[in-house]
């Protein structure tokens, strides 16, 4: 492949293009009308508009993406993450068109795309599972009986789910029927599949995932773990590598299990095997994500590998250039997802113009983004602005650098998760490593960010008002109080 099309947008499109450029590979961007002036469109060698802003009229239309490939002569497609990245029907469409998908086979996507078939595949290698049902249940009475056998509290989960949709925690049997009906309804609405299953609810879980790579020659390796336990609405906000609680023995066992899960479907490409870790440090298989993960940069920093380049090499039929024993882990990396969200208002998405946008720099700081000052945050897509990643010789240094980088990151015009990230970095539970997926519910509320850095634009404006009023006032008179200025009074109304 000497030309590839990136079927995505924003920071991940740019990140893929940069690695491709270093490999001497030309890139094609696709874009919706909302992204006409986006950075990934300007960076690519060629760009093709594929439709109106809504993703179901643009980025989710596989036919238009394949048409763009044929128009530009691109031989391969990198789907990034989200959109069509885990869509087996699209993967088949790509193969039928004689193109190469930089990702796994449709068969692997299909098996791992459903939590129940994924569990069945993993069980062939005796991978530890959370106690529960191994098949979909739709009959409420039968499901209630199985829940009693597993023992409350239990978790009802959508078989085709993700992102916390179709998921319900049930504390006692009296609430079971109502919660199951809600889970089935939500799963049907979100995924078109109301299948659910039951698991024992782990009360103090940690979310640990293992990065794997597999080539077309049967070689599969793992690249250690990532801790992803700081979440809101079951979605990750802070990730780090390695985990602060895994012992070398547990790390080795989890890595072997992850490789076995990948081997159960003859996995090709980059994938992530997700586990839940309980308070006794026992781990259980959750699912496998058959794509590049948002948090892949922390793995890159501790291993020195470029995962996108590895994906492209694998898609070209090359063997992995290293064995498991040759993969080494050095230092510590942390990622904060910088979302256009208001943490003080239940992390509700925010939209608007980036009036100020200045990224942090310096040793051990990496920013993967897709925006620049003056750009609008579109309403149509995920509200992530950037990924802020720091690296240090150890966890303490990585945390210190993250705090410094957050202070340097200057964004005005919208609310972001930067202040929340600083709250996490400075919280005793996170610093000590004694936290789980309930971190936000346990420690964070709307009053937690009272020490946010001041609104520098407002300070400058007030200073200008004071200077102007002083100039227009007789020097013998008392100076004007900025708080009583008409401009400031009007500003406060908003």
């Amino acid at each position: 492949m000497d030309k590839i099309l990136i079927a995505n947008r924003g920071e991940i499109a740019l990140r893929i293009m940069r690695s491709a450029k270093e490999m001497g590979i030309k890139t094609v961007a696709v874009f919706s009308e909302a992204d006409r002036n986006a950075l990934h469109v300007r960076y690519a060698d060629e760009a093709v508009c594929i439709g109106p802003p809504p993703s179901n009229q643009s980025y989710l239309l596989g036919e238009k993406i394949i048409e763009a490939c044929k128009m530009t002569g691109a031989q391969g497609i990198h789907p990034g993450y989200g959109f069509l990245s885990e869509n087996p029907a699209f993967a088949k469409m790509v193969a039928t068109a004689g193109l190469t998908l930089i990702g796994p086979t449709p068969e692997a996507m299909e098996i791992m795309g459903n939590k129940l078939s994924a569990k069945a595949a993993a069980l062939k290698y005796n991978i530890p599972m959370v106690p529960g049902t191994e098949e979909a249940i739709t009959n409420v009475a039968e499901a209630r009986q199985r829940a009693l056998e597993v023992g409350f509290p239990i978790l009802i989960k959508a078989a085709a789910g993700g992102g916390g949709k179709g998921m319900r925690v049930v504390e006692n049997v009296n609430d079971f029927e109502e919660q199951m009906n809600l889970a089935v309804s939500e799963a049907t609405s979100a995924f078109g599949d109301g299948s659910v299953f039951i698991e024992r609810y782990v009360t103090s879980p940690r979310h640990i995932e293992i990065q794997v790579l597999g080539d077309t020659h049967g070689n599969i390796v793992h690249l250690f773990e990532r801790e992803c336990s700081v979440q809101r609405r079951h979605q990750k906000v802070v990730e780090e590598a390695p985990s602060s609680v895994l012992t070398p023995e547990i790390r080795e066992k989890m890595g072997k299990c992850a490789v076995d899960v990948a081997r159960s479907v003859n996995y090709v490409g980059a994938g992530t095997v997700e586990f839940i870790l309980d308070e006794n440090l026992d781990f259980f298989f959750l699912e496998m994500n058959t794509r590049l993960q948002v948090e892949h940069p922390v793995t890159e920093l501790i291993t020195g590998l470029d995962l996108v380049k590895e994906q492209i090499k694998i898609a070209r039929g090359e063997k992995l250039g290293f064995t498991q024993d040759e993969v080494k882990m050095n230092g510590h990396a942390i990622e904060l997802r910088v979302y256009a969200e208001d943490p003080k208002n239940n992390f509700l998405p925010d939209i608007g113009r980036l009036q100020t946008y200045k990224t942090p720099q310096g040793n051990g700081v990496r920013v993967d983004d897709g925006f620049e000052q003056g750009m609008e945050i579109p309403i149509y897509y995920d509200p992530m602005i950037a990924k802020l990643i720091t690296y240090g010789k150890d966890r303490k240094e990585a945390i210190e650098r993250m705090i410094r980088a957050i202070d340097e990151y200057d964004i005005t015009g919208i609310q972001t998760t930067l202040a929340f990230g600083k709250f996490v970095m400075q919280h005793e539970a996170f610093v000590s490593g004694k936290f789980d997926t309930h971190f936000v519910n346990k420690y964070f509320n709307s009053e937690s960010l009272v020490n946010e850095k001041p609104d520098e634009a407002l300070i400058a404006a007030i200073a200008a008002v004071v200077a102007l009023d002083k100039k227009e006032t007789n020097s013998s008179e008392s100076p004007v109080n900025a708080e009583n200025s008409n401009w400031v009074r009007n500003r406060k109304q908003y």
Side-chain angles (χ1 to χ4, degrees):
M1 290 183 288
D2 56 19
K3 183 186 286 189
I4 64 173
L5 180 146
I6 293 81
N8 218 297
R9 63 180 297 279
E11 62 84 17
I12 188 57
L14 271 171
R15 187 264 168 279
I16 294 165
M17 289 175 187
R18 290 186 171 117
S19 286
K21 187 169 187 176
E22 290 177 12
M23 299 174 75
I25 298 172
K26 292 187 179 299
T27 57
V28 179
V30 290
F31 63 94
S32 72
E33 291 167 2
D35 283 335
R36 186 171 295 276
N37 297 315
L39 296 186
H40 78 280
V41 177
R42 286 183 264 160
Y43 189 90
D45 295 292
E46 299 174 70
V48 179
C49 182
I50 55 172
S55 56
N56 62 359
Q57 299 177 43
S58 51
Y59 295 107
L60 289 173
L61 296 181
E63 298 88 349
K64 288 197 172 185
I65 289 168
I66 289 173
E67 184 181 328
C69 275
K70 293 179 177 178
M71 184 190 311
T72 59
Q75 305 105 337
I77 298 174
H78 196 307
Y81 48 72
F83 294 137
L84 296 170
S85 62
E86 293 180 282
N87 187 313
F90 176 65
K92 291 175 183 176
M93 193 185 301
V94 172
T96 301
L99 302 168
T100 300
L101 182 72
I102 302 171
T105 63
E107 293 75 22
M109 285 188 191
E110 282 182 328
I111 293 171
M112 290 301 168
N114 182 284
K115 291 182 173 65
L116 288 174
S117 58
K119 289 173 73 170
L123 279 171
K124 292 187 293 187
Y125 285 83
N126 297 315
I127 307 300
M129 299 285 176
V130 178
T133 61
E134 296 176 8
E135 69 286 327
I137 294 182
T138 54
N139 182 282
V140 175
E142 180 187 353
R144 182 177 181 275
Q145 181 58 40
R146 297 295 296 275
L148 286 167
E149 293 169 4
V150 171
F152 288 87
I154 59 101
L155 190 63
I156 303 172
K157 298 173 74 173
K165 295 183 176 67
M167 183 185 296
R168 297 281 168 169
V169 177
V170 187
E171 299 287 348
N172 60 73
V173 68
N174 295 328
D175 298 331
F176 181 80
E177 183 172 345
E178 178 186 5
Q179 293 302 314
M180 179 165 172
N181 288 332
L182 287 171
V184 170
S185 175
E186 188 174 359
T188 302
S189 175
F191 313 112
D193 182 353
S195 302
V196 298
F197 63 101
I198 294 168
E199 287 181 346
R200 189 190 82 201
Y201 180 62
V202 179
T203 54
S204 299
R206 295 179 77 119
H207 187 130
I208 309 289
E209 60 188 32
I210 307 284
Q211 176 73 60
V212 295
L213 285 176
D215 64 22
T216 55
H217 304 274
N219 301 303
I220 303 176
V221 300
H222 72 81
L223 306 180
F224 309 111
E225 82 278 2
R226 296 186 287 256
E227 167 94 47
C228 308
S229 297
V230 179
Q231 307 176 359
R232 51 94 178 94
R233 297 193 297 273
H234 301 289
Q235 294 179 326
K236 307 162 191 172
V237 188
V238 175
E239 302 102 346
E240 60 180 314
S243 168
S244 61
V245 296
L246 291 198
T247 65
E249 294 76 21
I250 296 174
R251 179 173 293 118
E252 184 177 354
K253 289 178 181 177
M254 290 185 80
K256 182 181 182 305
C257 284
V259 168
D260 284 342
V261 169
R263 201 173 300 284
S264 74
V265 290
N266 300 313
Y267 196 79
V268 172
T272 300
V273 182
E274 304 202 357
F275 296 93
I276 192 168
L277 190 77
D278 69 14
E279 59 271 23
N280 300 316
L281 299 186
D282 292 323
F283 64 88
F284 308 96
F285 172 70
L286 277 180
E287 62 181 334
M288 184 177 189
N289 290 306
T290 55
R291 55 172 165 78
L292 195 68
Q293 293 279 90
V294 174
E295 57 273 20
H296 75 273
V298 295
T299 296
E300 293 184 324
L301 289 174
I302 67 165
T303 61
L305 294 169
D306 184 320
L307 294 187
V308 171
K309 287 183 180 179
E310 296 301 326
Q311 285 184 294
I312 294 172
K313 290 176 185 176
I314 289 167
R316 294 198 298 202
E318 298 179 27
K319 287 185 178 181
L320 289 176
F322 47 85
T323 65
Q324 187 66 69
D325 291 340
E326 291 173 326
V327 182
K328 304 299 179 185
M329 179 171 62
N330 295 295
H332 199 97
I334 300 175
E335 175 178 296
L336 169 66
R337 301 190 190 189
V338 183
Y339 284 107
E341 293 179 346
D342 185 358
K344 292 189 291 186
N345 191 15
N346 198 31
F347 293 91
L348 286 178
D350 196 16
I351 58 171
R353 183 182 297 274
L354 294 171
Q355 296 173 357
T356 308
Y357 186 76
K358 296 179 182 177
T359 58
Q361 299 179 30
N363 195 26
V365 176
R366 168 177 166 177
V367 179
D368 286 12
D369 62 8
F371 290 93
E372 63 184 2
Q373 188 165 296
M375 290 181 68
E376 296 278 347
I377 303 297
I379 195 173
Y380 308 99
Y381 315 115
D382 184 271
M384 189 169 70
I385 301 169
K387 300 183 305 198
L388 174 59
I389 312 106
T390 57
Y391 175 80
K393 63 181 182 295
D394 53 29
R395 189 169 188 265
K396 181 175 181 293
E397 185 171 67
I399 290 174
E400 290 169 348
R401 282 184 171 156
M402 179 61 76
I403 293 170
R404 187 263 294 174
I406 289 171
D407 285 340
E408 287 184 14
Y409 215 141
D410 191 5
I411 301 177
T412 63
I414 55 168
Q415 298 295 320
T416 75
T417 51
L418 282 171
F420 169 75
K422 187 172 181 179
F423 169 84
V424 174
M425 294 301 122
Q426 294 178 324
H427 197 280
E428 179 185 359
F430 184 81
V431 173
S432 67
K434 297 176 182 178
F435 61 96
D436 55 35
T437 58
H438 303 304
F439 179 93
V440 171
N441 290 336
K442 284 181 179 178
Y443 305 118
F444 183 78
N445 57 56
S446 60
E447 305 300 317
S448 300
L449 302 183
V450 292
N451 294 320
E452 289 181 88
K453 59 185 179 182
D455 187 334
E456 295 175 1
L458 177 58
I459 292 173
I462 291 175
V465 170
V466 172
L468 180 63
D469 285 347
K470 279 185 176 179
K471 184 176 180 181
E472 293 178 352
T473 303
N474 188 298
S475 58
S476 62
E477 296 177 359
S478 300
V480 173
N481 181 348
E483 288 297 311
N484 293 326
S485 157
N486 287 333
W487 186 90
V488 174
R489 281 199 300 271
N490 292 337
R491 170 76 158 69
K492 286 179 177 178
Q493 295 176 12
Y494 302 93

